């Protein structure tokens, strides 16, 4: 491996920018922004240089220093550089860099401008650490740092109660998943004696049955981390509420960073999930499929432009997790990469619309924006076509690969294939509903009627992201990821599975588009509620899962907290602490009564005591 110091610079440049922004330049917003943008641009350029010199390193390489040594436990601060982590470096720094530039225009007049960019750099550092970590402990440290920085960004406008609550909800929901993840890490360490991915892989290759009957449990506990970070059912509830943060934050979280961390982690430790006798992958596949279908159904009745895209992200994450579950980790990473491009473009396009309409987010108060905002419209349309899987846009290749994996993967499941096709129909339906209502037809508000194209600092990033959204399917990205799994782990191209998947996908796109055209091309309001009745209301209210959690989990937690408070106040503080204190004080006060300072009293008590002793001794 040449230029071994470059990966360390790639990792720590954003941290240096975050530290400088918080400690020295916070009172200079422009300087903080320049540091943040410069740091991520530098990390991207250094990543390009490193890959140009070393290639994709299919065999992998590591750079490590000892971080922690306690007894038999030795943990490195190490970087793993292979054809799984190197493409992700480009995705995180490339897409993240474009979002940084876009943020310069979107948050230009915000009073928290400097704080925003400092937090953005911290977030980037944390995600790069997740990508490069070569052991479970380092991964978990950066994993939690992603959670902290996402809390800071989601709750960026903490003066708004909804934003503050959304930040707390994201943080606490992820702690539930991370607790299971930590238990999985401890189970692996206690059984195999190491946390290093390379050592774990060697042990598994020699003794595939080393985890025995605990293989399924270990895999599912590790998967808990991905259920939280990648917002899989039933811990998906935090992601739609994360829309309370600034739109560029939504783009960053939904595209290249936080939600991608869970899928990436599953692929990094795939060798621990695909073990003899383990049923972890089967369960993972079904969780992904259920999440994909559930989110697509809910998206169909959302009216907030960002929430539609949020549920779209949930659905596509379900696709990725489903691909891992059927034995296609390379396919899951392939869809993750293409999705990063077009989903970032969709969110930034939505941000452009929101900016032009004075922060109006209800799609039914938009309309007719296509000729008022031509750049935003055309780039948004490119991203929509990619998300729906229209050839030859990037999503066509990666989504078809996911569907093909459900037919030909090592854990193929035909029911999941049918579910995936149904999700493809719904995806096209709700995305063209969004396009027709927002950009076509008549204007529905004064703000929409007066809308103008966003400034160039916001439209140039849209044009830049439109290129990979349209062309990334031709860049052989799937082949690069397949190298990380020895040429396996993906569906590949050609063969009966790919042919069936392609035909089914095209049929799904056509069917979804026809439905959207008939329902929404000239609609002034949504026709589905009248057709679906109570079901539409349930879809709009997210099938009341938040209310279910409020009435069960949160109420139980509040009851436990109330009992703990009473026990602490009356038993521990009251009986134990204050009881001992009160008894001691009473005895002290009683003894103090005998200390009068009068000699005659002391002489009387002495004689009385002697008399009592003589009585007891002689009586």
């Amino acid at each position: 491996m040449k230029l071994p110091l470059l990966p360390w610079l790639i990792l720590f440049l954003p941290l240096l920018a975050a530290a400088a922004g918080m400690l020295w330049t916070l009172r200079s917003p422009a300087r903080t922004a320049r540091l943040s943008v410069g740091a991520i641009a530098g990390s991207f350029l250094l990543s390009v240089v490193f890959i140009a010199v070393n290639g994709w390193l299919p065999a992998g390489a590591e750079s490590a220093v000892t971080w922690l040594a306690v007894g038999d436990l030795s943990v490195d601060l190490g970087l793993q550089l292979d054809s799984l982590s190197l493409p992700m470096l480009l995705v995180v720094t490339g897409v993240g860099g474009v979002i940084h530039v876009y943020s310069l225009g979107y948050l230009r007049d915000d009073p928290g401008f400097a704080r925003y960019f400092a937090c953005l750099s911290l977030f980037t550092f944390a995600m790069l650490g997740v990508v490069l970590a070569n052991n479970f402990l380092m991964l978990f440290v950066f994993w939690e740092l992603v959670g902290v920085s996402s809390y800071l960004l989601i709750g960026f406008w903490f003066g708004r109660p909804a934003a503050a609550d959304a930040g707390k909800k994201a943080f606490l929901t992820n702690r539930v998943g991370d607790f299971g993840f930590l238990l999985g890490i401890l189970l692996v360490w206690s059984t195999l004696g190491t946390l290093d991915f390379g050592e774990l892989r060697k042990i598994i290759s020699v003794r595939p049955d080393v985890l025995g009957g605990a293989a399924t449990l270990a895999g599912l506990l590790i998967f808990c981390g991905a259920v939280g970070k990648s917002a899989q059912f039933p811990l998906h509830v935090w992601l739609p509420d994360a829309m309370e943060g600034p739109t560029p934050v939504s783009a960053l979280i939904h595209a290249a960073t936080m939600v991608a961390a869970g899928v990436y982690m599953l692929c990094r430790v795939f060798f621990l999930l695909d073990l003899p006798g383990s049923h972890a992958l089967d369960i993972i596949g079904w969780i992904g499929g259920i999440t994909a279908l559930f989110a697509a159904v809910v998206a169909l009745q959302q009216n907030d432009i960002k929430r539609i895209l949020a549920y779209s992200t949930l659905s596509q994450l379900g696709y990725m997790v489903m691909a891992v579950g059927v034995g296609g980790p390379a396919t899951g990473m392939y869809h993750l990469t293409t999705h990063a491009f077009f989903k970032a473009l969709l969110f930034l396009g939505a941000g452009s619309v929101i900016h032009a309409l004075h922060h109006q987010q209800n799609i039914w108060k938009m309309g007719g924006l296509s000729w008022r905002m031509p750049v935003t419209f055309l780039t948004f349309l490119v991203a929509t076509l990619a998300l729906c899987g229209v050839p030859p846009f990037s999503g066509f290749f990666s989504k078809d690969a996911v569907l093909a994996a459900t037919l030909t993967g090592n854990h193929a499941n035909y029911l999941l294939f049918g579910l995936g096709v149904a999700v493809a129909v719904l995806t096209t339906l709700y995305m063209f509903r969004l396009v027709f209502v927002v950009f076509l037809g008549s204007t529905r508000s004064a703000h929409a009627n007066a809308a103008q194209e966003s400034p160039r600092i916001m439209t140039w990033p849209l044009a830049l992201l439109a290129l990979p959204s349209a062309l990334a399917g031709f860049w052989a990205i799937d082949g690069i990821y397949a190298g990380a799994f020895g040429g396996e782990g993906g569906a590949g191209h050609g063969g009966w599975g790919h042919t069936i998947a392609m035909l089914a996908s095209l049929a799904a796109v056509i069917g979804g588009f026809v439905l959207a055209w008939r329902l929404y091309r000239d609609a002034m309001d949504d026709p589905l509620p009248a057709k679906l009745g109570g079901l539409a209301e349930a879809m709009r209210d997210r099938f009341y899962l938040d209310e279910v959690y409020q009435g069960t989990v949160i109420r139980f937690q509040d009851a436990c907290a109330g009992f703990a408070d009473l026990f602490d106040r009356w038993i521990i503080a009251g009986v134990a602490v204050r009881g001992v204190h009160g008894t001691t004080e009473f005895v002290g006060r009683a003894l103090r009564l005998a200390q009068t300072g009068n000699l005659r009293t002391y002489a009387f008590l002495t004689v009385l005591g002697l008399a009592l002793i003589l009585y007891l001794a002689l009586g």
Side-chain angles (χ1 to χ4, degrees):
M1 179 180 67
K2 300 176 182 177
L3 306 175
L5 292 179
L6 282 192
W8 294 98
L9 287 174
I10 293 167
L11 174 62
F12 283 104
L13 273 178
L15 178 62
L16 293 175
M22 285 295 186
L23 298 176
W24 296 301
T25 65
L26 197 60
R27 294 185 179 180
S28 177
R31 188 173 300 174
T32 304
R34 285 196 295 268
L35 278 172
S36 184
V37 174
I40 195 168
S43 293
F44 175 74
L45 292 175
L46 291 177
S47 300
V48 172
V49 170
F50 183 84
I51 293 170
V53 171
N54 293 281
W56 295 111
L57 295 173
E62 292 190 14
S63 179
V65 295
T66 300
W67 172 28
L68 180 67
V70 180
D72 296 331
L73 175 65
S74 178
V75 180
D76 291 336
L77 180 62
L79 310 183
Q80 185 156 342
L81 304 158
D82 55 17
S83 51
L84 187 61
S85 60
L86 292 177
M88 279 297 292
L89 283 184
L90 296 181
V91 171
V92 173
T93 57
V95 176
V98 172
I99 294 171
H100 274 61
V101 173
Y102 180 93
S103 298
L104 294 172
Y106 192 85
L107 288 157
R108 178 179 53 198
D109 300 322
D110 195 284
F113 189 76
R115 174 169 55 89
Y116 169 82
F117 275 98
C119 292
L120 214 57
S121 290
L122 180 65
F123 194 104
T124 304
F125 165 69
M127 187 61 198
L128 289 174
V130 169
V131 169
L132 293 171
N134 76 337
N135 62 78
F136 264 125
L137 183 56
M138 181 178 169
L139 172 65
F140 190 76
V141 169
F142 282 105
W143 190 269
E144 294 304 299
L145 189 56
V146 168
V148 171
S149 50
S150 66
Y151 165 76
L152 296 173
L153 287 169
I154 294 169
F156 176 72
W157 287 319
F158 55 84
R160 290 167 30 190
D165 290 343
K168 288 186 290 185
K169 186 175 183 179
F171 186 81
L172 294 174
T173 304
N174 273 275
R175 298 294 69 73
V176 176
D178 292 352
F179 178 69
F181 186 28
L182 181 59
L183 291 179
I185 292 173
L186 292 174
L187 177 58
V188 170
W189 175 56
S190 63
T191 306
L192 304 183
T194 182
L195 296 172
D196 184 87
F197 295 143
E199 293 298 322
L200 289 171
R201 188 185 293 272
K202 289 178 183 178
I203 294 172
I204 295 296
S205 65
V206 175
R207 297 176 56 198
D209 60 344
V210 65
L211 285 171
T216 299
L217 177 61
L220 292 179
L221 287 173
I222 290 171
F223 176 56
C224 284
V227 172
K229 278 289 186 293
S230 289
Q232 296 299 286
F233 183 88
L235 298 183
H236 65 282
V237 292
W238 69 268
L239 191 58
D241 289 348
M243 297 301 95
E244 294 296 335
T247 301
V249 170
S250 303
L252 193 65
I253 289 176
H254 284 252
T257 54
M258 184 173 178
V259 296
V263 177
Y264 177 82
M265 181 272 291
L266 291 178
C267 296
R268 172 58 74 194
V269 301
F270 184 76
F271 59 90
L272 288 173
L273 306 176
D274 191 18
L275 294 175
S278 173
H279 300 288
L281 284 180
D282 298 325
I283 297 172
I284 289 171
W286 275 108
I287 292 293
I290 291 168
T291 303
L293 181 61
F294 172 84
V297 170
V298 173
L300 196 55
Q301 278 299 285
Q302 299 303 301
N303 296 323
D304 184 308
I305 186 171
K306 289 174 65 176
R307 285 188 180 272
I308 296 171
L309 297 179
Y311 279 103
S312 171
T313 299
L314 280 175
S315 186
Q316 297 304 306
L317 287 169
Y319 262 135
M320 300 170 205
V321 171
M322 185 172 67
V324 174
V326 296
T331 300
M333 287 300 302
Y334 182 28
H335 194 53
L336 184 155
T337 302
T338 61
H339 177 264
F341 298 132
F342 55 73
K343 186 50 62 68
L345 179 54
L346 285 169
F347 268 107
L348 296 187
S352 179
V353 171
I354 294 168
H355 182 270
L357 272 62
H358 303 276
H359 297 279
Q360 174 60 253
Q361 295 183 198
N362 189 333
I363 63 172
W364 296 104
K365 295 183 180 179
M366 300 178 185
L369 298 180
S370 58
W371 63 272
R372 292 177 174 84
M373 306 179 68
V375 176
T376 300
F377 168 62
L378 290 174
T379 54
F380 196 95
L381 182 61
V382 167
T384 298
L385 294 172
L387 174 59
C388 295
V390 176
F393 296 91
S394 60
F396 166 74
F397 297 94
S398 60
K399 188 177 75 174
D400 284 6
V402 171
L403 293 177
T406 62
L407 294 173
T408 62
N410 294 332
H411 295 261
N413 189 313
Y414 296 164
L415 291 177
L416 286 179
F417 171 76
L419 187 151
V421 173
V423 171
V425 174
L426 293 171
T427 300
T428 305
L429 175 56
Y430 69 69
M431 282 308 300
F432 275 98
R433 168 184 182 256
L434 179 58
V435 170
F436 290 151
V437 173
V438 172
F439 292 101
L440 304 179
S442 304
T443 57
R444 300 178 181 86
S445 68
H447 287 318
N449 194 52
Q452 295 180 351
E453 186 61 90
S454 298
R456 290 185 179 181
I457 193 69
M458 295 172 64
T459 56
W460 275 109
L462 300 181
L464 194 60
L465 284 171
L467 291 175
S469 297
L471 302 176
F474 300 100
W475 295 350
I477 298 172
D478 54 337
I480 297 171
Y481 284 127
F485 302 93
E488 300 178 355
H493 294 284
W496 67 272
H498 183 75
T499 301
I500 292 175
M502 180 181 65
L503 294 175
S505 177
L506 289 175
V509 170
I510 294 171
F513 179 80
V514 170
L515 283 174
W517 176 265
R518 296 187 64 178
L519 289 170
Y520 296 107
R521 58 176 175 176
D522 297 316
M524 294 302 292
D525 53 23
D526 198 337
L528 277 186
K531 299 177 182 294
L532 299 179
L535 178 59
E537 183 178 354
M539 293 160 63
R540 186 169 57 253
D541 291 333
R542 300 174 282 187
F543 290 102
Y544 311 108
L545 276 179
D546 284 275
E547 288 77 8
V548 170
Y549 283 144
Q550 188 71 40
T552 55
V553 177
I554 296 176
R555 180 171 293 182
F556 176 73
Q557 177 186 347
D558 289 344
C560 291
F563 174 77
D565 177 63
L566 290 174
F567 187 82
D568 179 62
R569 287 176 184 271
W570 297 103
I571 305 300
I572 296 178
V575 176
V577 177
R578 292 180 183 174
V580 172
H581 155 73
T583 303
T584 305
E585 183 181 23
F586 176 77
V587 171
R589 287 178 181 273
L591 291 174
R592 189 177 65 184
L593 295 175
Q595 307 299 318
T596 66
N598 189 306
L599 290 176
R600 283 184 292 184
T601 302
Y602 292 157
F604 172 75
L605 291 174
T606 301
V607 172
L608 183 64
L610 288 172
L612 181 62
I613 292 172
L614 288 173
Y615 174 78
L616 293 174
L618 300 176

